[in-house]
Amino acid sequence: MSSSRQVVHNCLLLVLFSCFLWKRDVVEGSHYRIASIGEPLVAPATITNRTGYHFQSPKNWINGPMYYNGIYHLFYQYNPEEPIWGNIVWAHSYSTDMINWKPLQPAIYPSAPFDINGCWSGSATILPGNKPVIFYTGIDPQNRQVQNIAFPKNLSDPYLREWVKPHYNPVINPSGDVNASAFRDPTTAWYGPDGHWRTVVGSKQGDRGVAILYRSRDFINWAVSKNPLHSVEGTGMWECPDFFPVSPMTTDALDTSAFRKGLKHVFKVSLDITRYEYYTIGTYDFVNERYIPDGLSPDNHTGLRFDYGNFYASKTFYDDGKRRRILWGWSNESDSVLNDWKKGWAGIQAIPRAVWLAGDGRQVVQWPVDEVESLRHKQVMINKKMIKSGGVVEVKGIETEQADVEVVFDVSSCLDKVEKFDPGWTDPQKLCSLKGAEEQKGAGVGPFGLYVLASGDGEKRTAVFFRIFKDVNKHVILMCHDPTKSSKREGLYKPTYGGFVDYDINKSAGKISLRSLIDHSVVESFGAMGRTCITSRVYPDFAPGSKAHLFAFNNGNAGVKILQLKAWEMRKALVN
Ligand SMILES: *[C@@H]1O[C@H](CO)[C@@H](O)[C@H](O)[C@H]1NC(C)=O
Ligand SMILES: *[C@@H]1O[C@H](CO)[C@@H](O)[C@H](O)[C@H]1NC(C)=O
Ligand SMILES: *[C@@H]1O[C@H](CO)[C@@H](O)[C@H](O)[C@H]1NC(C)=O
Ligand SMILES: *[C@@H]1O[C@H](CO)[C@@H](O)[C@H](O)[C@H]1NC(C)=O
Ligand SMILES: *[C@@H]1O[C@H](CO)[C@@H](O)[C@H](O)[C@H]1NC(C)=O
Ligand SMILES: *[C@H]1O[C@@H](CO)[C@H](O)[C@@H](O)[C@@H]1NC(C)=O
């Protein structure tokens, strides 16, 4: 069994984020004073764009999930006094569906020498006898990063309200040549056939990202392994490492400790240098205590990503109840810092996703947990509708600020008209910026997709789209999010994001699917049934009283057919 970490892990992000806030406040603060004596400034207090069904705390936060005895737990940071870093406690919420959450009392807070300067991220593990333990990074009086554990005080309490930190903490110190300022985010531990627990702590040696491996029989006394589990030159600090088994035979998930011949493993890191994550698929060589990537994708930031957008500090856990592995990531605010202050909250958690190995073994596939569908409400549908070159089709009849859209496009009639792929186009994000969502003169198939959170005239919009190219003997599919026209407001961070979709559209008779979860200031998209995913934060500034619109569009040269489009209005979830 298993579970998660973001608990403290996200702590780290908050620390960094708050430093940033602090510095910026000086600048923004004076800017605001100038504004208040005459210069018009957007009225930030009204620009909340607060999400309706994504988890967020009332104030600054970041989190970590765990499943235990039928209940999902989320631990997150919370400042009871101000919407900035400080006075931080480990707030705790629980849920039975990962969508609706109720708050509990704080679980962990700095209180002892081994965490007096901070409780950073970690993970949960379920020990034999169904006993959960949290592993987290504490900051000691010398500002060293050390690894601590904490246990529930009362296992009969179904909500695990109180947590106890044993006096023998820290259980892992940065010894030898380990950099004590770069030593954090212990993973969920796994149990080997040799009767030892193992965990990995993220670190770096010079420019080399390192996953330092530790072993223990009793979860209290830990010994460092001779070799790291994995390391890669030039990748910098590895935050939030995650390591879990997947089966090439079935989409059923495996417990983190599952170990047998023929299993594959996924190894993911969050790169502090790029602020993006990447993962590889490979083999866990248990005898030599090493993870060996298959080598089918780059083992650096140009490699595979769970999400090619705003998605970081993700963590998976094994959901024993529904036998699935759940991936959960954090999506930071991309509004101006001044507005974050005004709003009083920053950062949301993406909708939890089931994750499994694709049938071809080349990547993982993700899909929003079924539970989110319980929020689906009013539905509209469009069948077999052609969108001609330069055309749009509006999805009418529902409100779309809070919506779930699933569409299947059919491009079978024009697969021979696709643009040629230039092998020099190796960076999908750049290619999305270069090609964009705008009408293409003489182009082939695409851009086609959805305009979400759009104004009625379509002037303001976030484009979620595909473009299809032809390489020597296969099609290349690009999926993009272009939020550059999402809002006219200044100070927003709105990069175009993109990823290639490893999907044989010829074999699928020209059909490709797209799903987008839309929630006021976030758009999470899943291309080709979850083979490529992109998340963006956007802050549409519609005229007062006007609502968000949703369109399907086609700016390619050839006509594209909507085979079927279903869209649902989403109810609000109960979030704390
Ligand atoms: C975002 O906030 C702005 C300003 O309050 C508002 O005009 C717009 O309708 C909001 N958009 C959504 C999608 O909630
Ligand atoms: C432990 O939790 C159970 C269930 O909530 C409660 O009945 C019991 O009194 C608690 N025990 C202690 C020592 O607090
Ligand atoms: C240790 O890590 C810190 C934080 O990243 C860095 O500033 C420092 O240079 C590192 N020290 C060494 C010896 O690499
Ligand atoms: C990333 O890995 C790929 C494939 O191994 C390699 O070609 C490329 O040079 C690497 N990029 C960087 C920046 O290290
Ligand atoms: C697509 O499939 C057809 C027949 O199945 C084949 O003739 C054609 O070469 C394929 N095209 C590509 C680009 O794979
Ligand atoms: C999210 O915020 C933007 C804008 O401030 C930064 O550029 C990103 O680096 C940041 N993302 C993460 C993962 O921290």
Side-chain angles (χ1 to χ4, degrees):
M1 254 159 286
S2 92
S3 240
S4 145
R5 124 249 87 123
Q6 262 151 331
V7 180
V8 181
H9 170 311
N10 280 333
C11 243
L12 165 65
L13 295 172
L14 247 199
V15 170
L16 297 174
F17 185 52
S18 61
C19 296
F20 176 65
L21 271 179
W22 191 249
K23 276 190 246 133
R24 288 288 290 268
D25 177 44
V26 179
V27 179
E28 298 277 2
S30 62
H31 177 47
Y32 185 66
R33 268 198 304 279
I34 294 168
S36 67
I37 54 167
E39 272 181 42
L41 184 79
V42 263
T46 64
I47 299 167
T48 67
N49 297 122
R50 195 179 178 89
T51 56
Y53 62 95
H54 280 74
F55 187 90
Q56 54 175 227
S57 81
K59 296 183 181 181
N60 259 3
W61 74 296
I62 310 200
N63 83 330
M66 166 176 94
Y67 177 79
Y68 181 69
N69 285 356
I71 292 181
Y72 299 96
H73 295 259
L74 185 57
F75 301 94
Y76 64 96
Q77 297 199 300
Y78 178 63
N79 179 344
E81 283 154 41
E82 293 170 297
I84 56 163
W85 174 260
N87 317 302
I88 289 294
V89 298
W90 280 104
H92 182 187
S93 290
Y94 76 95
S95 173
T96 51
D97 61 6
M98 287 188 281
I99 300 295
N100 296 286
W101 293 93
K102 289 192 177 151
L104 295 168
Q105 71 194 58
I108 304 178
Y109 37 88
S111 66
F114 50 77
D115 67 9
I116 200 68
N117 284 323
C119 298
W120 291 7
S121 205
S123 312
T125 302
I126 312 284
L127 299 177
N130 207 18
K131 212 178 154 199
V133 54
I134 281 178
F135 227 138
Y136 71 98
T137 301
I139 310 301
D140 77 3
Q142 290 82 47
N143 280 322
R144 296 183 321 153
Q145 298 171 11
V146 300
Q147 316 313 322
N148 303 318
I149 54 178
F151 296 100
K153 188 169 181 187
N154 178 1
L155 279 175
S156 312
D157 172 7
Y159 302 114
L160 304 177
R161 275 172 273 229
E162 288 180 79
W163 289 75
V164 179
K165 300 182 278 192
H167 63 85
Y168 52 73
N169 274 317
V171 293
I172 300 179
N173 276 297
S175 55
D177 56 4
V178 171
N179 184 338
S181 302
F183 183 58
R184 52 188 180 259
D185 307 344
T187 62
T188 292
W190 66 96
Y191 192 68
D194 61 351
H196 282 87
W197 286 99
R198 287 162 174 79
T199 188
V200 147
V201 180
S203 187
K204 65 174 175 183
Q205 282 160 8
D207 286 341
R208 178 177 280 271
V210 185
I212 307 179
L213 183 67
Y214 290 85
R215 261 197 314 253
S216 173
R217 272 197 182 278
D218 56 10
F219 226 90
I220 298 169
N221 297 288
W222 292 85
V224 67
S225 179
K226 195 161 89 253
N227 303 311
L229 181 71
H230 191 45
S231 74
V232 178
E233 185 56 42
T235 51
M237 177 65 194
W238 282 1
E239 300 192 296
C240 308
D242 196 20
F243 185 57
F244 57 92
V246 283
S247 170
M249 310 306 289
T250 150
T251 57
D252 285 353
L254 298 163
D255 178 273
T256 310
S257 293
F259 181 76
R260 58 177 182 264
K261 236 183 140 67
L263 291 187
K264 304 302 289 186
H265 270 75
V266 174
F267 182 78
K268 186 275 308 183
V269 287
S270 306
L271 295 186
D272 196 24
I273 297 181
T274 62
R275 305 301 287 169
Y276 292 117
E277 308 191 311
Y278 82 90
Y279 72 92
T280 51
I281 291 164
T283 313
Y284 175 31
D285 173 354
F286 174 75
V287 175
N288 296 305
E289 298 279 22
R290 287 204 189 257
Y291 165 72
I292 302 142
D294 284 349
L296 297 178
S297 66
D299 195 359
N300 60 36
H301 72 275
T302 67
L304 295 169
R305 290 190 203 160
F306 289 151
D307 191 298
Y308 291 83
N310 183 336
F311 193 88
Y312 195 75
S314 75
K315 176 73 187 178
T316 66
F317 69 99
Y318 177 60
D319 176 354
D320 189 37
K322 295 204 170 168
R323 301 191 52 202
R324 54 189 173 174
R325 184 162 285 274
I326 302 293
L327 167 71
W328 220 347
W330 168 69
S331 189
N332 74 350
E333 227 49 41
S334 305
D335 199 346
S336 72
V337 175
L338 175 61
N339 280 350
D340 290 350
W341 272 77
K342 287 279 178 177
K343 290 183 299 195
W345 55 273
I348 61 164
Q349 205 67 11
I351 295 297
R353 306 167 178 180
V355 57
W356 64 92
L357 186 66
D360 58 24
R362 289 200 298 256
Q363 64 166 98
V364 300
V365 181
Q366 301 157 66
W367 200 244
V369 293
D370 298 342
E371 286 88 337
V372 76
E373 294 170 24
S374 68
L375 300 174
R376 284 176 173 180
H377 181 39
K378 205 171 160 188
Q379 187 200 327
V380 291
M381 191 149 82
I382 294 173
N383 278 311
K384 297 201 174 67
K385 183 140 183 115
M386 201 68 191
I387 326 175
K388 63 179 194 334
S389 173
V392 294
V393 170
E394 178 159 15
V395 179
K396 289 186 180 150
I398 57 165
E399 309 238 323
T400 63
E401 281 89 13
Q402 248 170 255
D404 183 356
V405 194
E406 285 192 62
V407 53
V408 179
F409 292 103
D410 180 353
V411 295
S412 53
S413 65
C414 53
L415 270 184
D416 51 338
K417 302 200 182 73
V418 298
E419 226 176 313
K420 251 185 109 167
F421 185 73
D422 177 340
W425 293 335
T426 53
D427 181 340
Q429 183 166 345
K430 271 199 193 130
L431 188 54
C432 284
S433 303
L434 180 75
K435 293 286 182 175
E438 304 317 309
E439 198 161 345
Q440 303 296 316
K441 298 276 175 279
V445 183
F448 65 89
L450 301 170
Y451 289 145
V452 305
L453 295 172
S455 55
D457 58 9
E459 291 264 297
K460 283 173 194 159
R461 66 205 188 200
T462 294
V464 178
F465 62 96
F466 295 117
R467 293 185 69 117
I468 301 173
F469 303 94
K470 178 81 181 351
D471 202 353
V472 184
N473 49 21
K474 64 174 200 312
H475 290 99
V476 176
I477 303 176
L478 179 70
M479 176 174 160
C480 312
H481 264 198
D482 179 359
T484 51
K485 294 193 167 174
S486 56
S487 171
K488 290 236 155 60
R489 286 178 41 222
E490 291 187 357
L492 300 177
Y493 174 65
K494 38 183 187 182
T496 295
Y497 289 125
F500 289 116
V501 192
D502 184 355
Y503 174 73
D504 189 342
I505 195 155
N506 202 35
K507 212 165 136 193
S508 323
K511 292 175 192 57
I512 186 162
S513 72
L514 174 66
R515 179 174 181 189
S516 286
L517 293 171
I518 304 162
D519 190 5
H520 297 274
S521 59
V522 61
V523 184
E524 289 185 64
S525 301
F526 302 81
M529 293 305 288
R531 292 187 69 96
T532 298
C533 309
I534 306 181
T535 298
S536 292
R537 301 300 308 278
V538 293
Y539 306 88
D541 56 338
F542 305 140
S546 42
K547 300 263 184 199
H549 293 249
L550 174 66
F551 302 90
F553 78 94
N554 172 21
N555 280 336
N557 211 21
V560 167
K561 193 197 260 171
I562 297 175
L563 205 58
Q564 182 168 72
L565 181 152
K566 292 185 195 168
W568 292 264
E569 218 170 280
M570 296 293 268
R571 286 194 193 87
K572 249 177 127 74
L574 181 76
V575 178
N576 282 352

